[in-house]
Amino acid sequence: MSPSTDERVTKLSVFEKAALQSGENTWQTRPVERLGVRSLFLSDGPHGIRKQAGTGDHLGLNASLPSTCFPTAATIANSWDVGLAHQVGKALGEEASALGVDVILGPGLNIKRSPLGGRSFEYFSEDPYLSGKLAAQYVMGIQGEGVAACPKHYAANSQETNRMTNNSVVDMQTLREVYLTGFEIVVREAKPLMFMTSYNLINGTYTNQNALLVKDILRDEWGFDGAVVTDWGGGDQAPWAAEVGGGFEMPSPGFGSVPTLVQAVRQGSLSERALDERVSELFSVIDRIPKPEASGHFDVEAHNELAREAAAQSVVLLRNEKSILPLRSGTKVALVGDFAETPRYQGAGSSLVNPTRLVSAVTAVAETDLEMVGYARGFTRDGKPSQELVDEALKLTGTADVTLLYMGLDELSETEGADRSCMNVPDNQVRLLEALADAGRRVVVVFSAGSATTMPWLDRCEALVHGYLSGQAGAPAMFDVLTGAVNPSGRLAETYPLALEDTSTAGNFPALGKNAEYREGPYVGYRYTESINAPVLFPFGFGLGYASFSYSDAEVGERGISVTVTNVGDRDGTETVQVYVGRDQHERTGIIRPARTLAGFLKVTLKAGESARVSVAFDEYTFRHFCVNAGKWQVEAGLFEVFVGPNVRDARSVGICSVGEGTNTGEGVSVVDNALFERMSVVQPDPNSLLGLENYASGDVKKVDRDEWMRLLDNPSALMPTPEGPLTIESSLSDMARADSSLARFVWRRMEGMLRKSEAKGVPDLNLLFLSSMPFRSIFKMSGGMANEAMVESILLIVNGHFFRGTGQLIGRFFKNNRAQKRMRQEFANLAGNQSQTNH
Ligand code: BGC
């Protein structure tokens, strides 16, 4: 669904319209001053504004302006608090406007397919419903301030390894139910003005030019009417993308894609109407947001307070033996661990924010009424063992009542551009914990990491509080929880397996070749563990508090469930009531459906001894499944079981409800209101459709062999051949390792060496990480016009061993392109009546 072509577009030449399909520079769109169309400024990123002060360079060699660093999405997701997500979105919108930013590139809501995903810290959850509900609030908060939001990365962008060339091979039911539903909720509920497609391909087609994804689903089915932008450098074939509803390329390929688009219109492979629609969409985004005030001022203090509140509400208490927490006033505490002095509070990559302030635990403890006996570093972030540091910590902690040990993952372990290689916490930290525990210290672990880790050492500490990546005010927020000023109420938005082997993607993630095979189907996270009852360290939704709650008198009605929740503890506290549904076990079914899926949740704050009746409504997402044969959402008639409780594993069965008219209902079975199914049809179960899919039916997906997966996938052309032979425009720079040219192999070895060097320093080099997974095509897409496709082909000649021919060609093409770019730049400026040159 596109806005009708606007008047102004009819006044543009094809050349101008083609030029409006790409950015002016790293962050801005092209203006058309004669029509009063201004340029938009786009900035990262999901948990703070990263507006670069000087010349934009994508991954941030130039520092960005200070802005509030809020907790990352993975952290706020633990709050399960839609109101909080809205508040943070609103603050982000305010800051964007103050800093002159029109579009925030976020929120990011990819599904955490594996705990090893390098960007897990930037995404909400393994569950699409929770992700979608929270992301929708961010979008509403941001857009309420007159700034456009740009949810990303649409879709199935689950791994960082080869992220720009990887093909996600995923069956249609799983794609719809797991990887697209969150985006659907955001579009339907929050109407974002922009949408960013991901780098990867899905079933053989780049997402930005994937007609099914962009045209059929995003625009036609969900009603998105804004502009779709590529991820940075992720454009491929501009005419094709424009035809199907995507195609707006960022950052800037200069005028490189313009001749191709113009020619495609002339030859008829791109309809001018489609090009008009794309331009109208961009103009309509500009029309729907006011020019940012760019005052440079926002309420730094109030936003810092909000960041603190958000961090405190998102802390998850995972262990509290002998009620060691909360700490009583006057408790003598020793602070140990490198993270206590140099906090780990955000992830590395395009989301990296330059915070307005940053307080460490060592400083924040002074604000509390705890007695600090001292700080010892205890370990270094690089994982190297040091007995000296351990001894120092042992010495210090001898005089304390409680040792606060700050553990977690370091910057290198969680970064955009690379996946994690394991789920462990570095060994030197574990050794330190063991030494402290052996010496009889009472240890409270304060943990920082943006994704799930294993914790075989858990019983060596008395308590563990997980702050995730808690933003600039995370340290004081953590003391709010440790001292009991705030009662911890965070609940994990992802499953913590006992070991990596217990995850459904183990051994299959990240994919190193061309294809990422989503063989586990819909069994991601708890959808897997609960279906096969796998052991877990902490189930999805888990979290303790200083209060405890009981559930009683649950009732399943035609539109939802209600239950009485009582605070049976002696302190006030907050509970997150979670509702799950599953097919009644004794029912005939013809669909693959995990044992439990999250259907709703609600937070309730109760005084000690207080009770409340809590209602959670069913909605159109509760019972539906995607029927691949019909190509539609449907509901299978029959009985569903409803579970309610404090986490997915402890949610108790509270009743059966029946869906669809004519279903056999017994006593106590409530009939779900048919009005919920207005957008879909109710079908009768057909168990035959599960023939040959037995392991998918049971959820035991580790037993799935290639044949069974192929049956589910039902689309052999989704798999792409492994690239071999000479390198092509689609090969990534790292493929130079196997290039014919010794020069190319040498260049790659140098790059690799530089990467290793940066790793040894403990700081990820984002530009190098980016370059190594970048395809040759992106040299042209990201060069701002310095290179065009023809030049990249000459570079490939060199890489493939034809040094002299390639170099000669390259030099000629360089000058030719230079002249052409200048000419087109001038032509566009003249036609568009642009006086001012944007210079970021
Ligand atoms: C990231 C996006 C980001 C963009 C602009 C890309 O590399 O994947 O999330 O918004 O860069 O910085």
Side-chain angles (χ1 to χ4, degrees), residues 459-476:
D459 61 359
R460 303 309 312 272
C461 62
E462 288 193 23
L464 188 143
V465 262
H466 201 331
Y468 266 68
L469 298 184
S470 51
Q472 65 180 44

Side-chain angles (χ1 to χ4, degrees), residues 26-27 43-46 50 58-59 105-106 119 122-123 152-153 157 160 163 196 199 231-232 350-351 416 770 782:
T26 312
W27 304 116
S43 273
D44 286 305
R50 183 174 71 99
H58 184 204
L59 287 176
L105 302 173
R119 264 181 118 167
E122 238 183 292
Y123 302 140
K152 63 188 185 183
H153 310 86
N157 185 192
E160 291 299 286
R163 65 172 170 156
M196 189 193 289
Y199 284 131
D231 196 350
W232 265 227
S350 57
S351 66
E416 177 175 339
F770 187 84
M782 300 196 73

Side-chain angles (χ1 to χ4, degrees), residues 336-468:
V336 178
D338 196 37
F339 300 110
E341 194 177 36
T342 311
R344 175 86 211 296
Y345 63 102
Q346 63 174 328
S350 57
S351 66
L352 196 85
V353 171
N354 177 12
T356 58
R357 57 188 60 163
L358 181 62
V359 181
S360 71
V362 170
T363 310
V365 68
E367 255 188 52
T368 68
D369 51 13
L370 301 171
E371 197 184 313
M372 149 100 154
V373 302
Y375 161 70
R377 192 174 181 201
F379 60 83
T380 51
R381 278 165 136 82
D382 59 10
K384 292 202 184 100
S386 163
Q387 192 54 41
E388 203 182 312
L389 291 179
V390 173
D391 291 343
E392 197 181 287
L394 281 169
K395 192 160 162 226
L396 171 79
T397 51
T399 56
D401 302 324
V402 170
T403 297
L404 298 178
L405 174 57
Y406 284 74
M407 294 174 67
L409 295 179
D410 62 308
E411 286 73 5
L412 263 187
S413 306
E414 294 180 294
T415 174
E416 177 175 339
D419 293 305
R420 292 200 288 157
S421 55
C422 68
M423 286 184 70
N424 304 349
V425 173
D427 220 38
N428 61 343
Q429 298 183 34
V430 179
R431 292 282 153 285
L432 173 66
L433 168 63
E434 281 167 351
L436 291 166
D438 288 345
R441 307 287 187 260
R442 305 190 67 194
V443 180
V444 172
V445 170
V446 179
F447 205 72
S448 305
S451 35
T453 62
T454 48
M455 299 180 177
W457 39 263
L458 186 67
D459 61 359
R460 303 309 312 272
C461 62
E462 288 193 23
L464 188 143
V465 262
H466 201 331
Y468 266 68

Side-chain angles (χ1 to χ4, degrees), residues 189-521:
E189 293 189 3
K191 310 218 169 313
L193 294 174
M194 283 193 119
F195 229 63
M196 189 193 289
T197 45
S198 52
Y199 284 131
N200 53 291
L201 306 101
I202 296 184
N203 297 338
T205 308
Y206 277 109
T207 56
N208 195 257
Q209 56 208 33
N210 194 315
L212 174 73
L213 216 63
V214 180
K215 184 183 175 301
D216 301 349
I217 299 179
L218 176 64
R219 292 190 183 279
D220 295 347
E221 190 177 315
W222 301 343
F224 175 76
D225 62 0
V228 173
V229 60
T230 63
D231 196 350
W232 265 227
D236 180 34
Q237 298 186 35
W240 179 2
E243 185 67 44
V244 303
F248 174 55
E249 290 183 284
M250 285 299 284
S252 183
F255 284 79
S257 303
V258 177
T260 328
L261 284 161
V262 172
Q263 203 187 10
V265 171
R266 290 215 179 102
Q267 290 173 345
S269 54
L270 167 62
S271 66
E272 193 167 348
R273 205 182 53 107
L275 194 58
D276 289 351
E277 282 172 1
R278 300 301 78 83
V279 178
S280 303
E281 285 149 13
L282 180 65
F283 285 3
S284 87
V285 174
I286 301 171
D287 292 346
R288 285 186 273 176
I289 52 173
K291 193 168 166 22
E293 54 188 67
S295 63
H297 300 294
F298 55 88
D299 195 336
V300 173
E301 193 48 51
H303 287 190
N304 185 61
E305 270 312 300
L306 176 61
R308 177 173 177 162
E309 155 94 15
Q313 293 306 325
S314 307
V315 169
V316 195
L317 177 64
L318 291 173
R319 179 176 168 88
N320 192 13
E321 291 301 290
K322 300 182 217 138
S323 296
I324 182 171
L325 296 177
L327 299 171
R328 269 189 301 278
S329 158
T331 305
K332 283 193 202 152
V333 294
L335 268 58
V336 178
D338 196 37
F339 300 110
E341 194 177 36
T342 311
R344 175 86 211 296
Y345 63 102
Q346 63 174 328
S350 57
S351 66
L352 196 85
V353 171
N354 177 12
T356 58
R357 57 188 60 163
L358 181 62
V359 181
S360 71
V362 170
T363 310
V365 68
E367 255 188 52
T368 68
D369 51 13
L370 301 171
E371 197 184 313
M372 149 100 154
V373 302
Y375 161 70
R377 192 174 181 201
F379 60 83
T380 51
R381 278 165 136 82
D382 59 10
K384 292 202 184 100
S386 163
Q387 192 54 41
E388 203 182 312
L389 291 179
V390 173
D391 291 343
E392 197 181 287
L394 281 169
K395 192 160 162 226
L396 171 79
T397 51
T399 56
D401 302 324
V402 170
T403 297
L404 298 178
L405 174 57
Y406 284 74
M407 294 174 67
L409 295 179
D410 62 308
E411 286 73 5
L412 263 187
S413 306
E414 294 180 294
T415 174
E416 177 175 339
D419 293 305
R420 292 200 288 157
S421 55
C422 68
M423 286 184 70
N424 304 349
V425 173
D427 220 38
N428 61 343
Q429 298 183 34
V430 179
R431 292 282 153 285
L432 173 66
L433 168 63
E434 281 167 351
L436 291 166
D438 288 345
R441 307 287 187 260
R442 305 190 67 194
V443 180
V444 172
V445 170
V446 179
F447 205 72
S448 305
S451 35
T453 62
T454 48
M455 299 180 177
W457 39 263
L458 186 67
D459 61 359
R460 303 309 312 272
C461 62
E462 288 193 23
L464 188 143
V465 262
H466 201 331
Y468 266 68
L469 298 184
S470 51
Q472 65 180 44
M478 185 52 87
F479 278 110
D480 291 340
V481 168
L482 291 169
T483 58
V486 169
N487 193 337
S489 62
R491 304 287 182 257
L492 294 174
E494 61 190 318
T495 308
Y496 275 54
L498 279 173
L500 181 62
E501 294 68 51
D502 298 330
T503 60
S504 59
T505 50
N508 195 24
F509 186 99
L512 302 177
K514 182 74 192 165
N515 298 306
E517 303 184 348
Y518 286 48
R519 286 193 185 209
E520 71 286 355

Side-chain angles (χ1 to χ4, degrees), residues 34 39 83 109 112 203 229 293 299 369 410 433 480 565 593 644 699 735 789 791:
R34 84 177 145 95
S39 146
L109 64 148
K112 301 179 197 216
N203 297 338
V229 60
E293 54 188 67
D299 195 336
D369 51 13
D410 62 308
L433 168 63
D480 291 340
V565 181
R593 187 170 180 116
V644 65
D735 289 332
E789 194 166 347
M791 285 171 66

